[in-house]
């Protein structure tokens, strides 16, 4: 065991109970262990900052900050839950069967594309990169990337017309396809 491990072990054994009680008096339930673990993780990471003569007050200060972060996270979680609860349940309002079929069709058509076509479409549609940014990722010129994107979109449109029974079908653009720029 090296010096840092020994120092941390002594710190932990000496003050774990005190930090546990400090945290438990401020919050209840099963979160106490998580907060105490976070306090000692900070202590391990900043072992050199722990004052030799007054480690316990320093640990209490860390615990106070961890508790503050925990409370802030809980507030955000509750606010999100309230916002979600206030939203109408759209699954009860509309039938999403057509949208699911459209998404499946796009996924099948996308899967039929080459890896290069898939990547350029992913960069622009999923990662929301501009053509210039996608060109940097692909290590191409902007013009080359723009041409590859145009061709990949055209091939995706063609594949979308072939989905299903394998015959060419006229298909209108669906909302799910708009993300692809098709």
């Amino acid at each position: 065991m090296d010096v840092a491990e020994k120092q941390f072990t002594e710190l932990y054994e000496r003050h774990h109970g005190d930090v546990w009680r400090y945290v438990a008096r401020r919050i209840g339930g099963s979160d106490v262990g998580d907060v105490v673990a976070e306090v000692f993780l900070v202590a391990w990471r900043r072992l050199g900052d722990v004052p030799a003569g007054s480690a316990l007050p320093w640990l209490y200060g860390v615990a106070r900050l961890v508790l503050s972060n925990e409370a802030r996270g809980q507030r955000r979680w509750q606010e999100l839950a309230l916002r979600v609860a206030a939203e109408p349940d759209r699954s009860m309002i509309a039938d999403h069967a057509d949208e699911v079929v459209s998404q499946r069709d796009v996924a099948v058509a996308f899967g039929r594309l080459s890896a290069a076509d898939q990547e350029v479409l992913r960069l622009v549609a999923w990662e929301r990169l501009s053509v210039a940014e996608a060109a940097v990722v692909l290590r191409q010129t902007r013009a080359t990337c723009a041409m590859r994107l145009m061709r990949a979109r055209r091939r995706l449109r063609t594949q979308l017309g072939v989905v299903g029974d394998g015959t060419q079908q006229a298909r209108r653009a669906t909302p799910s396809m708009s993300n692809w720029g098709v």
Side-chain angles (χ1 to χ4, degrees):
M1 183 182 300
D2 70 354
V3 175
E5 287 179 45
K6 185 178 181 197
Q7 182 183 358
F8 178 78
T9 301
E10 290 173 2
L11 177 76
Y12 181 85
E13 289 174 352
R14 182 171 188 169
H15 298 297
H16 180 266
D18 294 324
V19 172
W20 185 280
R21 285 184 292 280
Y22 177 89
V23 171
R25 282 190 286 270
R26 283 152 181 81
I27 64 170
S30 61
D31 293 339
V32 173
D34 291 340
V35 171
V36 171
E38 182 72 23
V39 169
F40 281 99
L41 177 62
V42 170
W44 171 252
R45 288 181 179 159
R46 298 188 53 208
L47 197 54
D49 296 338
V50 178
S54 56
L56 187 58
W58 186 87
L59 288 168
Y60 284 166
V62 171
R64 189 175 144 275
L65 293 174
V66 170
L67 286 167
S68 177
N69 286 339
E70 183 74 18
R72 197 169 28 258
Q74 287 293 328
R75 274 193 311 276
R76 289 180 183 152
W77 181 258
Q78 289 170 351
E79 290 168 3
L80 175 62
L82 289 173
R83 283 196 311 267
V84 168
E87 288 290 318
D89 186 1
R90 296 189 196 317
S91 65
M92 301 301 284
I93 296 171
D95 179 14
H96 297 293
D98 290 338
E99 185 177 338
V100 170
V101 169
S102 295
Q103 289 175 356
R104 183 198 60 85
D105 289 351
V106 171
V108 169
F110 183 76
R112 292 179 179 171
L113 298 176
S114 69
D117 284 350
Q118 289 180 9
E119 185 60 17
V120 72
L121 288 169
R122 281 185 187 117
L123 289 171
V124 173
W126 291 357
E127 307 304 332
R128 300 189 186 278
L129 297 181
S130 68
V131 172
E133 293 167 328
V136 171
V137 172
L138 297 171
R139 295 185 175 155
Q140 299 173 340
T141 65
R142 185 190 180 291
T144 300
C145 186
M147 183 60 69
R148 282 189 58 201
L149 177 62
M150 180 189 72
R151 289 178 179 161
R153 285 175 173 162
R154 183 176 29 188
R155 286 189 275 269
L156 180 60
R157 277 192 299 273
T158 300
Q159 286 300 322
L160 282 167
V162 177
V163 172
D165 62 359
T167 61
Q168 196 76 12
Q169 301 171 3
R171 296 181 50 92
R172 63 182 178 83
T174 61
S176 59
M177 289 171 45
S178 63
N179 293 338
W180 298 93
V182 178

